[in-house]
Amino acid sequence: MNRTEQISFYKRQLNSARELRAVAEQNISIATQLESEAKSALEMLGASTERSRKGNVLPEQLRNSLRASLTK
């Protein structure tokens, strides 16, 4: 490539990068809004917004039954 072609190439690359940045910023904005709405909904439902290490929790009756079977 000669100098003029290189300049043209890098100008196009710069414009593409700017467009990608704008799209990424828009996606971050949308994701932030969705996260906020989900947190609000969880708080309204009385659920924790934090991650749990426990995963699925067994019902109390089943848990007691399993404990009883282990102590027999």
Side-chain angles (χ1 to χ4, degrees):
M1 267 192 282
N2 65 33
R3 188 172 191 279
T4 306
E5 290 171 333
Q6 287 178 333
I7 290 171
S8 178
F9 171 79
Y10 286 114
K11 282 184 177 181
R12 285 193 311 272
Q13 190 173 25
L14 182 59
N15 287 334
S16 293
R18 287 179 179 155
E19 289 174 12
L20 286 172
R21 179 186 293 271
V23 170
E25 288 172 356
Q26 186 177 16
N27 285 340
I28 289 171
S29 175
I30 292 168
T32 301
Q33 182 180 354
L34 289 173
E35 182 182 21
S36 175
E37 291 172 3
K39 283 182 178 180
S40 295
L42 286 170
E43 287 172 1
M44 208 164 43
L45 294 170
S48 173
T49 58
E50 300 300 317
R51 292 184 183 191
S52 173
R53 289 184 175 185
K54 292 182 180 180
N56 295 333
V57 178
L58 295 174
E60 187 71 26
Q61 186 177 6
L62 180 58
R63 199 172 345 159
N64 290 337
S65 168
L66 290 170
R67 283 185 188 140
S69 69
L70 291 173
T71 57
K72 286 183 182 178

